[in-house]
Amino acid sequence: MKLNDMLFVIAHRQEAETNMLMTFGEYRERVLYYWCQTMEGAARHIEEILTGRQDKEAWATINHGKDYGYDVRFCLGEQDLKDFLHGHFNSWPEWYLDTGRCSDECLRALEEYNFDRNGVSIGDTYWYEERERPFGRGGLLRDFDGTEYRIMEYYNQDNLLLFNQETGSLLVAVGVKCYDRYPYAGKASEGNRETGIKWEKAVYLNPVPSQIDFMALKEQYSKMRPEPARQETDREIQEAVSKAGDIPAGYLGETIDRAIEIYKCRIDGSGETQRETRHPALNGRGR
């Protein structure tokens, strides 16, 4: 289950509130059809939920008199889920998460994404896997925050001129990679796979297009490639570790120490690894 397929449901009863996590299907069967008086009213409520899917403020409401009702909207991601479980969207100080009324699939998803039921992260939320994807001019890309970018210029497979569909800004994305990500503690499947792009750095351009030298950008970024230092370092580490099977047992510790020394050479003056500054923060887990 993807986080953005999960519904936040808040039931209001006088001065107390109950929070629930539901699939859309279970909400429809257990709440919507039970409380809506007409099919027309149910259809309007469904439309309200779906049209506000990307809006944090777009809560759809069903009221039953002045003392009872429901507010509902889709989850927008990891931080949004934490905020819901922490009670940030509740109007009254008295509230609780009713796990007995939550969908089982949603509760399993909390475990798969390494959340406890109080919204506390107990480990990495996702693991990432790089995937091959050809980029072409005019193509549409999406990052893991849901922002869409149009490819305005293809410099090479690593560097692209992008147009932010939401803000209208232009940027050069350097070191663009495409990834699939999955719940860290869950099993990889088509149902929970999310695909998006990350880049090593972004160069934001002048908001006035006539003042941008597009030919100079093409000349600069068509030739630029990511530094090969990481690949070379990884190769050295692999070679050092692979030798462990061919040396006497007494020298095994020295071989491992050598691999650690090579890795430490990637640390810069601030104590952060070059991998963290040049590459996405991936956790390295594979299938």
Side-chain angles (χ1 to χ4, degrees), residues 127-143:
W127 64 271
Y128 294 77
E129 183 175 75
E130 185 175 341
R131 65 177 297 177
E132 294 293 329
R133 173 169 179 173
F135 300 127
R137 185 174 180 179
L140 193 63
L141 305 176
R142 182 191 296 261
D143 66 17

Side-chain angles (χ1 to χ4, degrees), residues 57-201:
E57 304 299 326
W59 292 85
T61 301
I62 299 177
N63 288 316
H64 311 286
K66 63 179 181 178
D67 294 329
Y68 195 74
Y70 288 90
D71 290 334
V72 57
R73 71 166 173 83
F74 277 101
C75 172
L76 300 182
E78 178 182 354
Q79 186 58 52
D80 202 34
L81 177 58
K82 290 181 181 179
D83 290 342
F84 178 76
L85 295 174
H86 290 159
H88 292 182
F89 306 128
N90 291 94
S91 303
W92 297 97
E94 293 186 19
W95 66 273
Y96 73 101
L97 180 69
D98 189 345
T99 56
R101 297 171 67 188
C102 291
S103 300
D104 290 340
E105 186 176 354
C106 294
L107 295 180
R108 286 195 302 270
L110 289 183
E111 297 177 359
E112 292 179 351
Y113 287 97
N114 272 337
F115 286 108
D116 68 15
R117 296 178 184 184
N118 295 315
V120 177
S121 296
I122 54 178
D124 291 327
T125 305
Y126 298 101
W127 64 271
Y128 294 77
E129 183 175 75
E130 185 175 341
R131 65 177 297 177
E132 294 293 329
R133 173 169 179 173
F135 300 127
R137 185 174 180 179
L140 193 63
L141 305 176
R142 182 191 296 261
D143 66 17
F144 287 108
D145 292 326
T147 304
E148 293 186 333
Y149 299 88
R150 182 73 62 183
I151 301 176
M152 306 302 292
E153 188 74 46
Y154 173 90
Y155 297 133
N156 56 45
Q157 187 61 20
D158 300 301
N159 305 327
L160 305 170
L161 176 64
L162 301 179
F163 175 77
N164 186 315
Q165 300 273 95
E166 182 177 338
T167 65
S169 60
L170 286 168
L171 64 138
V172 176
V174 179
V176 182
K177 301 294 182 185
C178 185
Y179 298 93
D180 290 332
R181 76 177 184 184
Y182 303 91
Y184 190 81
K187 184 178 180 181
S189 69
E190 290 296 321
N192 61 26
R193 183 182 71 184
E194 297 179 70
T195 301
I197 59 168
K198 288 176 174 284
W199 50 70
E200 297 173 9
K201 70 174 183 178

Side-chain angles (χ1 to χ4, degrees), residues 170 206-214:
L170 286 168
N206 193 308
V208 182
S210 62
Q211 297 181 13
I212 300 173
D213 189 340
F214 290 102

